[in-house]
Amino acid sequence: MTLFDGIYPFYPQQRKAAVFDISTIIVIVVFLTLACCFLLIIPGIRGRARLYWTVRVLLSLFVGVVIVVVQFTGDWETGWVQANTSYKSFSPAQVNADIGLHIGLAGVNITLRGNPVQQINETINYNEHFPWNFGADYDHSYSEGLEKGLPSPILYVAEKFTVQSPCAVHRQYRIAGHYASAMLWVAFCTWIISNILFSMPVLIYGGYMLLVTGAFMIFSLLSFSTVRNSPMCLIQIGTRTLHVAYGGSFWLMVAVGKNIRMPQITSLCPSGCTRVPVLPSQVGSAEPQPTFFDLREDKAEEYQEMPEVFINPHFVNEDLSPSQPSESN
């Protein structure tokens, strides 16, 4: 190992994407494959049921992919700042760069992108991942970054989340992310059960399990929100301060979890004697439940009106003559 101007050189390394990584891509590809397989068989469904099946399956797959994919994204909390800062330790060289902080359930991503990218004869475009999920050692990853000679802004921001940092936010983020991830896996299991019940179809229990799915998604948000109970240290870069706010994954979970609600509408019972929870897209339409769940054809014979028939009046009223037929419904 040699020194360059008294500074350890930078070595190429495998970098993790700030928002989309290989795990996210795999999850999306799997769910897209399921969607494409369903679209291949959809021409075999007759009538209006084809449209209802398409809406049901695609909405369900969207909920499922959101539950899984947000566990691998790194934008539950994000923050950006543009500042003039030192690029290397013990060097007076200053660069103008965008510094980004992306916090996920399993770790933190720190990005450094120069404005322009080519400055001081180097390409300034870094993205480093420091995991804190159970089984990973955040301080060890930080030590490896020191050994690699990462740029000073990345090491400065990463140091705020170490175990020994005066900020003392490492344990709070680690525990909150762990429990939020666990609740999302439970939500994924209940999502699978709800789809099984809807396909049987057992609508009332499927609706209850969908309600449980939304509840656990909200619980995961509440779990992650507990990190705000710990005051965040100021991240001062040059003359600017980096502030973090809830990111895209958090608000996507809010939108999906909030809209999985169960309004009450009339069930299959023709007299309205039973009510079951259903999706919001079914509300407001005439007899939405049997149509949306493709049950109209199965129940048609049960609820159809009696046809007109002619009966022998001799068995109804013996006073009438058999030659005088009577028409009855």
Side-chain angles (χ1 to χ4, degrees):
M1 180 181 293
T2 59
L3 298 178
F4 179 75
D5 290 338
I7 307 299
Y8 284 107
F10 297 101
Y11 293 97
Q13 53 199 296
Q14 184 178 1
R15 297 190 174 98
K16 183 182 177 72
V19 179
F20 291 98
D21 62 355
I22 187 63
S23 301
T24 305
I25 296 175
I26 291 175
V27 172
I28 293 176
V29 169
V30 169
F31 277 87
L32 284 178
T33 302
L34 293 176
C36 292
C37 292
F38 173 76
L39 292 177
L40 289 177
I41 66 174
I42 199 66
I45 302 176
R46 297 176 298 173
R48 290 186 301 173
R50 180 185 306 170
L51 174 62
Y52 298 133
W53 269 95
T54 303
V55 173
R56 285 171 51 195
V57 172
L58 294 184
L59 284 178
S60 180
L61 289 177
F62 175 75
V63 173
V65 73
V66 167
I67 293 174
V68 178
V69 81
V70 294
Q71 303 203 49
F72 304 103
T73 56
D75 61 339
W76 281 71
E77 282 189 343
T78 59
W80 283 94
V81 66
Q82 182 178 357
N84 292 316
T85 179
S86 61
Y87 181 54
K88 301 176 182 179
S89 301
F90 312 108
S91 174
Q94 296 277 321
V95 296
N96 183 272
D98 292 324
I99 299 95
L101 175 61
H102 311 274
I103 301 174
L105 300 182
V108 58
N109 280 76
I110 304 171
T111 59
L112 178 69
R113 186 169 59 243
N115 292 313
V117 176
Q118 296 290 337
Q119 295 185 52
I120 58 173
N121 296 325
E122 291 192 30
T123 301
I124 305 175
N125 190 9
Y126 289 86
N127 182 42
E128 301 298 327
H129 179 69
F130 300 91
W132 58 44
N133 56 304
F134 287 92
D137 191 341
Y138 183 92
D139 285 1
H140 178 70
S141 300
Y142 176 73
S143 299
E144 287 183 342
L146 289 172
E147 295 175 0
K148 295 174 183 177
L150 294 178
S152 295
I154 294 180
L155 294 175
Y156 169 73
V157 176
E159 189 272 338
K160 299 291 185 181
F161 296 90
T162 58
V163 176
Q164 304 299 328
S165 173
C167 293
V169 296
H170 173 82
R171 184 174 181 273
Q172 184 72 20
Y173 272 102
R174 186 168 180 258
I175 297 298
H178 173 73
Y179 282 103
S181 178
M183 291 180 185
L184 286 176
W185 283 121
V186 175
F188 180 70
C189 294
T190 57
W191 171 80
I192 294 177
I193 296 174
S194 68
N195 281 276
I196 295 174
L197 294 175
F198 277 134
S199 63
M200 293 179 64
V202 186
L203 303 187
I204 184 169
Y205 298 111
Y208 288 154
M209 293 307 298
L210 198 60
L211 176 61
V212 174
T213 301
F216 274 100
M217 294 173 70
I218 298 299
F219 291 157
S220 68
L221 295 172
L222 296 176
S223 175
F224 186 80
S225 299
T226 59
V227 298
R228 293 302 178 97
N229 296 333
S230 299
M232 185 69 178
C233 291
L234 289 179
I235 304 177
Q236 195 77 27
I237 301 177
T239 59
R240 307 292 297 276
T241 302
L242 193 155
H243 298 282
V244 295
Y246 291 129
S249 294
F250 183 90
W251 294 116
L252 180 61
M253 284 290 296
V254 170
V256 176
K258 181 181 178 181
N259 284 282
I260 301 182
R261 56 183 182 271
M262 305 295 140
Q264 300 280 334
I265 66 167
T266 304
S267 180
L268 295 176
C269 179
S271 60
C273 58
T274 306
R275 294 179 179 271
V276 298
V278 292
L279 293 173
S281 56
Q282 305 167 39
V283 179
S285 59
E287 299 183 10
Q289 188 170 320
T291 304
F292 192 79
F293 288 96
D294 195 23
L295 299 178
R296 182 180 298 274
E297 295 181 1
D298 297 336
K299 301 295 182 178
E301 295 182 359
E302 182 178 349
Y303 302 123
Q304 66 182 357
E305 295 182 354
M306 288 287 295
E308 273 191 356
V309 295
F310 290 91
I311 62 175
N312 192 334
H314 176 74
F315 298 99
V316 179
N317 191 349
E318 295 181 355
D319 295 336
L320 294 178
S321 172
S323 62
Q324 298 177 353
S326 175
E327 182 179 344
S328 174
N329 288 333

